[in-house]
């Protein structure tokens, strides 16, 4: 075989063929259409060699088997027909592997996802390593697609329909032990003996299939099946609000295969795959996937990052504790926490302990691993142990003079190269650095709460921050497992600035008499994970409203909150979930009943809650203000590109991923349409809806966000 092949066949002395998968020049093995001929040539060699006793497929990559199919290949399809043909080619290749007359074993180490798992399913048996890197799953639904190379048909037959539905509808990934338990793999072994164990299995000819549990067998029968699919459909609609067509099609295709037999199932799978590739939802989700990959590769600056061997954190509160956890446990860096008293340090340490202990309980990590990670975190009530820290993250109260004092103290107690990063959500970084001896080493690093869950961070250089400081801070954010975007130092930065008018408008509709649950439900239906009022409860009403006056002072009255409402809620000691009093009622922990709105809210704000608007009208008012503000941020270069703006909104506030982010969504509507809607809303509700200059110009010139500004990211 020539060098360029991704598949190499090697026949051992004991007559077991080992097929090694190694895509040249790539970190990950991904399946491409052009590999079909390579696989066919190998399968022909296997069929022609009558002496062979079995075949093992194994990867030469250190940490992945096959991470899925190449998404670019899907993107280049111009019609549903083309994409359907692609799926049928994949199905055909898997069928040929499955039809080999001798045992075929997939020896899996590392990520085995999407097309990779479909290939493993086409083998007769599967064996995997007990390594943390080994995960198996079909994540296609997250790109608005379904498995197109036989996965929807083979998986239910192997592990039972309800377990398969759960995997395919959510895209969830199983670890080795979980995969063994559900019958997805036949053996779990240490990495060092993977090949040997797979060869032994290939010699066995163990084609006897495990019997499915009774529950799964009942659910596969006609009655159980009807019930299961009815329940699954109901649950799915609740979750997706009908915004993700892939889930409906997955249910349909799996049911077709079970009711009408495999060949009808494969046929339905290829057809559905072709149609889904062409949907706007899948295109937007793939757009987000590529933009995210792109951001992760972006170093944020052309300069070389400085040293990054240890980190200090000021403040052991909720944010400080969360930042310490991701820095030590995800980034593997030693962390020192400073707080004014031991209580704060203990709070932060307990935070990491709780997170890790949950992982031990769920058997994701061993107790020894927990202890090793915890040992990276230490604390003190003074600056002992700070002298050599490369970067200090400040997570103290939102008070300018306090933060300025922190800068001075760090400059006195740390090394000359130490970077000072502030986790502020509203104060300008330039003001924090105003009295600094080394302002070029001061930067903003804005995390979102809860830190361990929210993937986004905003990296905020002020006017004199050095390029090296930017590069080092971006590097740290990536080590922490975050997606960083570099934004300009102006009030509210980017995420909070586009979020504020959206939440303000929801509050304003409350004062007009709309009900809390109606407003929240309308935006969940639109595609947000939670509604704006529930979000305010989650973030903390006191924290969320702190930023409003800052924005109002900077940008004028379009940011003014409805008078007195917020004040009367805060005066009633309502901070949201954190103190158990907000717009919603927070009962005792335990089995959560359906979340209820606190009826006292309506008395507090002096309205009755008689709704008059439709869900579409409510969503339109909130979303249009967010889009208008996002366009202003683009114009003012708050975000460096439409890409960063889309990623910031999707990962920072849960902007509906199937719309691809605010800029992609405005492009799909067209600037003219966005302007027309804003003008109509201006007439109805007032000047805060006036379309910004950027949008008016774009509408006039028929321009799009994604072809201006996306190529020149460093302007």
């Amino acid at each position: 075989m020539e060098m360029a092949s991704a598949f190499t066949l090697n026949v051992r002395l004991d007559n077991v063929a080992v097929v090694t998968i190694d895509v040249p020049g790539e970190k990950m093995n991904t399946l491409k259409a052009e590999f079909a001929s390579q696989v066919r040539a190998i399968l022909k060699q296997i069929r022609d060699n009558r002496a062979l006793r079995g075949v093992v497929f194994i990867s030469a990559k250190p940490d992945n088997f096959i991470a899925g199919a190449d998404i670019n290949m899907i993107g280049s399809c111009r019609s549903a027909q083309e994409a359907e043909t692609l799926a049928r080619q994949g199905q055909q290749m898997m069928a040929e592997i499955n039809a080999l007359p001798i045992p075929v074993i997939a020896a899996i180490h590392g990520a085995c996802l999407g097309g990779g798992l479909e290939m493993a399913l086409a083998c007769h048996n599967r064996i995997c390593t007990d390594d943390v890197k080994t995960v198996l799953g079909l994540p296609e639904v997250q790109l608005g697609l379904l498995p197109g190379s036989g996965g929807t048909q083979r998986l239910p037959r192997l592990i039972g329909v309800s377990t398969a539905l759960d995997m395919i509808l959510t895209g969830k990934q199983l670890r080795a032990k979980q995969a063994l338990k559900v019958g997805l793999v036949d053996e779990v072994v240490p990495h060092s003996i993977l090949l040997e164990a797979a060869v032994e299995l290939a010699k066995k000819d163990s084609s006897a299939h495990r019997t499915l549990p009774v529950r799964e067998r009942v659910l596969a029968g006609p009655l159980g099946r009807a019930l299961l699919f009815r329940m699954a459909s109901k649950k799915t609609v609740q979750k997706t609000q009908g915004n993700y067509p892939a889930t409906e099609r997955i249910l349909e295709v799996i049911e077709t295969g079970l009711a009408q037999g495999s060949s009808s199932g494969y046929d339905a799978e290829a057809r559905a795959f072709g149609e889904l590739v062409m949907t706007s939802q899948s295109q937007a989700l793939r757009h987000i996937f590529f933009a995210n990959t792109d951001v992760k590769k972006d170093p944020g600056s052309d300069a070389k990052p400085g040293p990054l061997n240890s980190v200090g954190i000021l403040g052991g509160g909720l944010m400080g504790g969360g930042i310490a956890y991701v820095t030590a446990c995800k980034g593997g860096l030693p962390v020192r926490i400073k707080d004014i008293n031991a209580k704060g340090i203990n709070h932060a340490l307990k935070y990491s302990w709780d997170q890790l202990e949950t992982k031990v309980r769920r058997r994701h990590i061993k107790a020894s691993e927990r202890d090793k990670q915890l040992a990276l975190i230490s604390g003190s009530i003074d600056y002992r142990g700070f002298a050599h820290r490369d970067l200090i993250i400040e997570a103290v109260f939102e008070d300018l003079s306090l933060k300025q004092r922190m800068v001075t103290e760090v400059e006195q107690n740390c090394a000359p190269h130490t970077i000072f990063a502030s986790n502020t959500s509203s104060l300008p970084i330039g003001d924090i650095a105003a009295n600094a001896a080394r302002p070029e080493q001061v930067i903003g690093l804005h995390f979102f709460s809860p830190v361990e869950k929210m993937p986004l961070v905003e990296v905020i250089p002020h006017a004199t921050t050095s390029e090296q400081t930017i590069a080092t801070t971006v590097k740290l954010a990536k080590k922490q497992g975050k997606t960083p975007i570099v934004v300009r130092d102006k009030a509210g930065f980017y995420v909070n600035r586009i979020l504020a008018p959206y939440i303000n408008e929801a509050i304003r509709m409350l004062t007009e008499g709309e009900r809390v649950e109606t407003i929240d439900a309308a935006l969940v239906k639109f595609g947000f994970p939670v509604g704006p009022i529930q979000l305010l409860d989650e973030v903390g009403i006191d924290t969320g409203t702190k930023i409003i006056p800052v924005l109002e002072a900077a940008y004028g009255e379009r940011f003014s909150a409805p008078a007195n409402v917020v004040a009367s809620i805060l005066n009633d000691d309502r901070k949201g979930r954190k103190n158990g009093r907000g717009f919603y009622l927070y009962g005792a922990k335990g089995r959560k009943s359906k979340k209820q709105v606190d009826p006292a809210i309506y008395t507090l704000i002096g309205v009755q809650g008689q709704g008059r608007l439709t869900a579409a009208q409510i969503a339109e008012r909130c979303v249009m203000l967010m889009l208008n503000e996002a366009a202003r941020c683009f114009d003012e270069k708050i975000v460096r590109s439409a890409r960063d703006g889309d990623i910031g909104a999707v990962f920072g506030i849960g902007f509906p991923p199937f719309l691809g982010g605010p800029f992609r969504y405005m492009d799909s509507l067209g600037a003219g349409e966005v302007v027309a809607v804003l003008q109509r809303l201006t007439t109805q509700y007032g000047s805060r809806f006036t379309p910004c200059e950027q949008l008016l110009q774009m509408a006039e010139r028929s321009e799009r966000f994604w072809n201006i500004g996306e190529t020149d990211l460093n302007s």
Side-chain angles (χ1 to χ4, degrees), residues 487-503:
V487 300
R488 251 181 98 181
D489 184 21
K490 280 186 78 173
F493 313 129
Y494 170 65
V495 171
N496 282 342
R497 179 165 162 193
I498 65 171
L499 187 60
Y502 164 89
I503 290 181

Side-chain angles (χ1 to χ4, degrees), residues 445-457:
L445 184 59
H446 179 210
F447 292 84
F448 294 85
S449 180
V451 177
E452 78 284 358
K453 285 204 178 79
M454 296 298 281
L456 189 82
V457 292

Side-chain angles (χ1 to χ4, degrees), residues 96-161:
E96 286 183 36
I97 294 174
N98 191 255
L100 287 172
I102 51 177
V104 184
I105 315 295
I108 301 164
H109 170 67
C112 172
L113 302 170
L117 183 56
E118 290 182 291
M119 186 166 157
L121 287 168
C123 298
H124 305 147
N125 292 91
R126 287 145 295 285
I127 184 167
C128 75
T129 63
D130 57 0
D131 194 287
V132 287
K133 288 177 180 159
T134 300
V135 285
L136 297 91
L138 293 169
E140 286 82 352
V141 68
Q142 294 163 0
L143 296 174
L145 301 168
L146 51 63
S149 299
T152 63
Q153 305 304 305
R154 284 202 174 90
L155 192 63
R157 287 174 174 75
L158 179 67
I159 64 173
V161 60

